[in-house]
Amino acid sequence: MGEPQEHALLKKRIDEVLSAFVTAEAEALTDIDSCLAPVAEQLHAATRQGKRLRAAFCYWGWRGTGQPDSEAVVRAAGAIELVHAAAVVHDDLIDRSRTRHNLPTAHMALRQALTGHARPKSGARALAMLVGDLLMSMAGQLFTTSGLPGAFLARARPMWAVLARELVAGECLEVMRTGCEPDPDASVKVIRYKTAKYTVEHPLRIGGLLAGAPPRLLQEYSDYGLPLGEAFQLRDDLLGLLGDPRQTGKSATDDLAGNRPTVLMAHVLARATEAERDELHLLLGRADLTGQQVDRIRDIAHHTGAVTRVEDMIAARLREAHDVLTGAELTGEARRALSALATSAATRTH
């Protein structure tokens, strides 16, 4: 079975776990009061789509130790997708993003539930915040009721706490860095904690810890996962500016209007001429950017060599991840799956 097909089958299993679990939780919510139906629908909306990479890394962290396939570990891995869903809802709220996957974000969609409300915008933002909070709680519930033995779960529980702490730390760092002087190293630190660790390294280690992986393999998971997670987010930065919104599902203006401290923009600003920096400072942070203005920012990004620099960073990190796999003490099946996932994560177009 080829790796793409193998991941598609695993993704289908994870989708089924999440659909059943979220449906039950949404029904329990509307049982409290039928007016909560729009809130319940956002639980579905937040979890309905996704590449399921985080769950896949957790699953292969388990299988890499030699442990067999297990429905219980698929459920435990699926729980990390609920962490991701919570993070996305909160991230869209913080960034005031209007669309994701070409659909309204939670705080935009929930305005319809508050028609006639005195303050529909702020009310919808409050509801979206609570949806994110509930998704995070649901993640812990799915993880602990996955069906794995309590002793297995106990081995991974400390890493679960690290995942949540470092994810929040990364989000806080991004908020605090927004609008500051460009610093490529500081921007890398933001993506390391906001995305890289909880996308690859932490799920792998959680899977490994559930399986009782030895310390050397856990370290190899980190050595592979951290550079790959950074490559994943660096690709996301490039797609945010240069990608096709019809494929990415997000507006090309999101990162620019939010003046987010992406690694790409840090390199653009660091390499731009004084005139180009003045031009960029007038454009970044504006919510009303025109297509022509976005094209101008793209031109500067290419002209400064920042795009090439970020592509080089992605390639170097992907090589590092593959090099670790070559000598890692894990099963051949997991090595092949993780190699395919690495290439897919770093070279995707959406």
Side-chain angles (χ1 to χ4, degrees), residues 2 15 34 43 65 80 83 102 109 142 172 188 278 315 336 341 348:
D15 286 343
S34 61
L43 298 178
T65 67
I80 301 179
V83 173
N102 293 310
L142 180 57
C172 290
V188 168
D278 290 342
R336 289 190 296 273
L341 284 170
R348 72 195 193 283

Side-chain angles (χ1 to χ4, degrees), residues 129-269:
M129 178 185 69
L130 295 168
V131 166
D133 292 347
L134 181 55
L135 285 164
M136 188 65 83
S137 173
M138 288 164 56
Q141 181 186 351
L142 180 57
F143 186 73
T144 56
T145 60
S146 62
L148 288 171
F152 288 26
L153 296 171
R155 290 195 295 251
R157 194 167 290 120
M159 181 54 62
W160 187 273
V162 171
L163 181 153
R165 180 190 314 120
E166 295 191 347
L167 170 58
V168 170
E171 190 72 64
C172 290
L173 286 172
E174 182 178 71
V175 171
M176 297 171 78
R177 287 291 311 166
T178 296
C180 294
E181 285 299 308
D183 183 336
D185 291 338
S187 291
V188 168
K189 187 172 187 177
V190 169
I191 68 168
R192 180 176 302 144
Y193 286 92
K194 183 187 172 187
T195 303
K197 283 176 166 286
Y198 100 94
T199 297
V200 187
E201 181 192 10
H202 291 154
L204 268 171
R205 287 180 65 95
I206 286 172
L209 287 164
L210 287 170
R216 175 174 172 175
L217 181 55
L218 292 173
Q219 184 59 53
E220 288 168 337
Y221 282 164
S222 288
D223 293 343
Y224 159 91
L226 188 56
L228 179 58
E230 291 180 2
F232 174 89
Q233 184 55 42
L234 289 168
R235 176 63 60 197
D236 219 46
D237 288 353
L238 287 175
L239 290 173
L241 180 63
L242 306 173
D244 183 347
R246 292 170 298 182
Q247 287 189 300
T248 64
K250 292 194 71 177
S251 170
T253 65
D254 273 4
D255 286 347
L256 304 175
N259 197 13
R260 293 172 198 153
T262 66
V263 176
L264 174 61
M265 289 312 300
H267 279 292
V268 171
L269 288 163

Side-chain angles (χ1 to χ4, degrees), residues 14 54-56 58-59 72-82 142-143 146 210:
I14 295 161
R54 294 160 183 85
C58 182
Y59 175 83
V73 83
V74 171
R75 286 176 59 82
I80 301 179
E81 293 295 326
L82 294 175
L142 180 57
F143 186 73
S146 62
L210 287 170

Side-chain angles (χ1 to χ4, degrees), residues 18 53 93 105 218 220 289 345:
L18 292 175
L53 288 176
L93 187 60
T105 51
L218 292 173
E220 288 168 337
L289 286 171

Side-chain angles (χ1 to χ4, degrees), residues 291-303:
Q292 186 176 7
Q293 289 169 328
V294 173
D295 285 341
R296 175 56 182 155
I297 295 171
R298 288 172 176 151
D299 287 343
I300 296 174
H302 280 291
H303 169 71

